[in-house]
Amino acid sequence: MHVPFPGSAPAATSVIAGDCHLIIDPVAAPHVEAGRLRALAVVGATRWDPFPDVPTLGELGLAQDWPGSGWFAMFAPAGTPAPVVARLNAAFNESLAEPEVEAALKRLGLRPEALAPEELARKLAADHAAVGRALRRLRIA
């Protein structure tokens, strides 16, 4: 059963407390390192550098139809002027290249990837369709 939370931190706290059974979120990484949570699998085509012994969903046979990796993105309201979107995108992508930002994201098992808005739109559409297929196959949705 999906349990909605107002953010990643409250969801992780709920799993640590035993109120929920699992979380799929890189915010769990520090809790795994501290021994408060146990990593069962990672999302993506390859294992995460911080957890080399944790298998991928694919290695466990659970990734059929599932997108290759989880991801985070920055969104703006529909109708935001194209020059504003371009400026925000450029600034966001520049920040991903900063060594401190890249290192912090990699500690959470994330692989920074700078995308143009059009590339993100294609990725979102493809992943949405793939997850829909997987959920229907698994009879979850």
Side-chain angles (χ1 to χ4, degrees):
M1 171 188 303
H2 174 258
V3 179
F5 283 91
S8 297
T13 300
S14 180
V15 176
I16 291 167
D19 297 326
C20 286
H21 293 103
L22 62 92
I23 183 173
I24 302 173
D25 195 311
V27 75
H31 300 293
V32 171
E33 290 172 342
R36 291 184 292 271
L37 292 175
R38 181 175 67 146
L40 303 175
V42 295
V43 176
T46 60
R47 293 185 180 204
W48 288 0
D49 293 340
F51 306 112
D53 296 331
V54 178
T56 67
L57 288 175
E59 290 172 316
L60 296 174
L62 301 172
Q64 182 183 349
D65 297 326
W66 205 262
S69 65
W71 50 269
F72 293 89
M74 182 173 69
F75 294 89
T80 300
V84 173
V85 170
R87 185 173 174 199
L88 288 170
N89 179 253
F92 185 72
N93 288 341
E94 285 174 24
S95 72
L96 291 177
E98 293 180 16
E100 299 84 11
V101 172
E102 185 176 17
L105 293 172
K106 285 185 176 181
R107 278 194 302 276
L108 294 173
L110 300 173
R111 294 178 184 96
E113 181 182 13
L115 296 176
E118 300 79 21
E119 294 170 310
L120 177 59
R122 285 191 295 274
K123 183 179 196 72
L124 177 62
D127 283 5
H128 186 267
V131 169
R133 286 190 301 273
L135 294 177
R136 285 188 297 279
R137 180 180 56 79
L138 296 168
R139 297 179 187 198
I140 294 174

